[in-house]
């Protein structure tokens, strides 16, 4: 394969599908960066990001690209906790915030996201990474989504908290999950 021909196609072909296919085969990071910042197609930019390792470029793309798929692909390659925290708090798209939450290790940030994010999907991703029993109990007691509550309940080890949830939560599925978890812990 001649990379020069692929670069010419990626930079100049009028068809985004053709450009996307060419980008997937290019290894020159400088060209990929140019495409990630300048191509009119979100799909082409998204493929370009997958081949970039420069952390500053990835952070810039993750914070600023107009298309959520490009931002999410950049986030999946970032390991800088500060950048990820900025994104989990500020990105407008739940898939991008979910990708950031999956890569964050700071339990305080995860607890905050699990309690406050507007998307139940993002809250669930954050909840899955939390180990603090008190935080999990708070989420199980208070989250408005059965989807998030049941995940938290499945990780709780305090039988009193589970009994409280069984007595006080109005949702049948949440109470059932708490009862099931309680029986697991009691060995029945």
């Amino acid at each position: 394969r001649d990379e020069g021909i692929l670069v010419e196609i990626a930079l100049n072909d009028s068809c985004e599908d053709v450009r996307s296919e060419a980008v997937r085969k290019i290894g020159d990071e400088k060209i990929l960066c140019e495409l990630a910042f300048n191509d009119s197609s979100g799909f082409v930019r998204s493929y370009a990001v997958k081949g970039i390792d420069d952390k500053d470029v990835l952070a810039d793309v993750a914070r600023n690209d107009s298309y959520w798929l490009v931002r999410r692909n950049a986030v999946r390659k970032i390991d800088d906790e500060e950048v990820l925290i900025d994104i989990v708090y500020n990105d407008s798209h739940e898939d991008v915030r979910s990708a950031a939450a999956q890569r964050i290790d700071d339990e305080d940030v995860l607890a905050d996201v699990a309690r406050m994010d507007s998307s139940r999907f993002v809250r669930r991703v954050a909840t899955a990474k939390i180990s603090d029993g008190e935080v999990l109990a708070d989420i199980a007691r208070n989250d408005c989504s059965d989807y998030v509550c049941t995940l938290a309940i499945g990780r709780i080890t305090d039988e009193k908290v589970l009994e409280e949830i069984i007595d006080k939560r109005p949702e049948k599925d949440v109470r059932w999950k708490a009862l099931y978890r309680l029986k697991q812990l009691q060995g029945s």
Side-chain angles (χ1 to χ4, degrees):
R1 86 180 184 206
D2 182 2
E3 188 153 302
I5 294 170
L6 292 172
V7 169
E8 181 68 27
I9 292 168
L11 291 172
N12 298 312
D13 199 276
S14 62
C15 177
E16 81 176 347
D17 292 334
V18 172
R19 290 195 319 277
S20 293
E21 195 58 37
V23 166
R24 293 165 62 171
K25 296 175 182 169
I26 293 173
D28 182 332
E29 191 160 338
K30 183 178 177 186
I31 298 297
L32 293 173
C33 288
E34 181 180 337
L35 291 162
F37 284 117
N38 298 316
D39 198 274
S40 61
S41 166
F43 293 111
V44 172
R45 293 193 313 275
S46 180
Y47 285 122
V49 163
K50 289 181 178 184
I52 295 171
D53 292 321
D54 183 306
K55 301 304 179 189
D56 292 331
V57 169
L58 291 169
D60 189 0
V61 170
R63 286 180 168 135
N64 298 307
D65 197 272
S66 61
Y67 187 38
W68 70 268
L69 183 63
V70 178
R71 295 193 313 274
R72 186 198 66 194
N73 285 350
V75 165
R76 287 179 171 171
K77 297 188 77 178
I78 294 172
D79 53 18
D80 181 327
E81 192 98 346
E82 283 186 37
V83 173
L84 294 167
I85 290 169
D86 177 46
I87 291 166
V88 81
Y89 282 129
N90 296 306
D91 198 272
S92 62
H93 200 280
E94 67 186 17
D95 285 352
V96 178
R97 294 193 313 276
S98 290
Q102 287 172 341
R103 300 186 60 79
I104 291 172
D105 294 320
D106 184 317
E107 285 241 358
D108 292 332
V109 171
L110 291 168
D112 191 41
V113 170
R115 289 178 174 128
M116 305 300 285
D117 197 273
S118 61
S119 166
R120 67 185 177 131
F121 301 109
V122 178
R123 293 195 313 274
R124 187 170 168 95
V125 167
T127 299
K129 295 193 70 180
I130 294 170
S131 59
D132 184 308
E134 289 182 32
V135 174
L136 291 169
D138 181 54
I139 293 165
R141 287 181 186 116
N142 298 306
D143 198 275
C144 62
S145 168
D146 295 1
Y147 183 64
V148 177
C149 287
T150 55
L151 175 68
I153 289 167
R155 304 188 66 231
I156 291 173
T157 57
D158 185 330
E159 293 181 14
K160 289 185 190 316
V161 169
L162 294 168
E163 290 168 355
E164 176 190 336
I165 291 167
I166 293 165
D167 289 340
K168 294 187 178 177
R169 285 298 300 237
E171 305 91 342
K172 181 178 102 175
D173 290 343
V174 172
R175 291 192 320 271
W176 181 89
K177 179 67 176 188
L179 179 61
Y180 179 79
R181 179 65 177 149
L182 183 60
K183 287 183 177 197
Q184 276 184 321
L185 293 173
Q186 293 172 342
S188 2

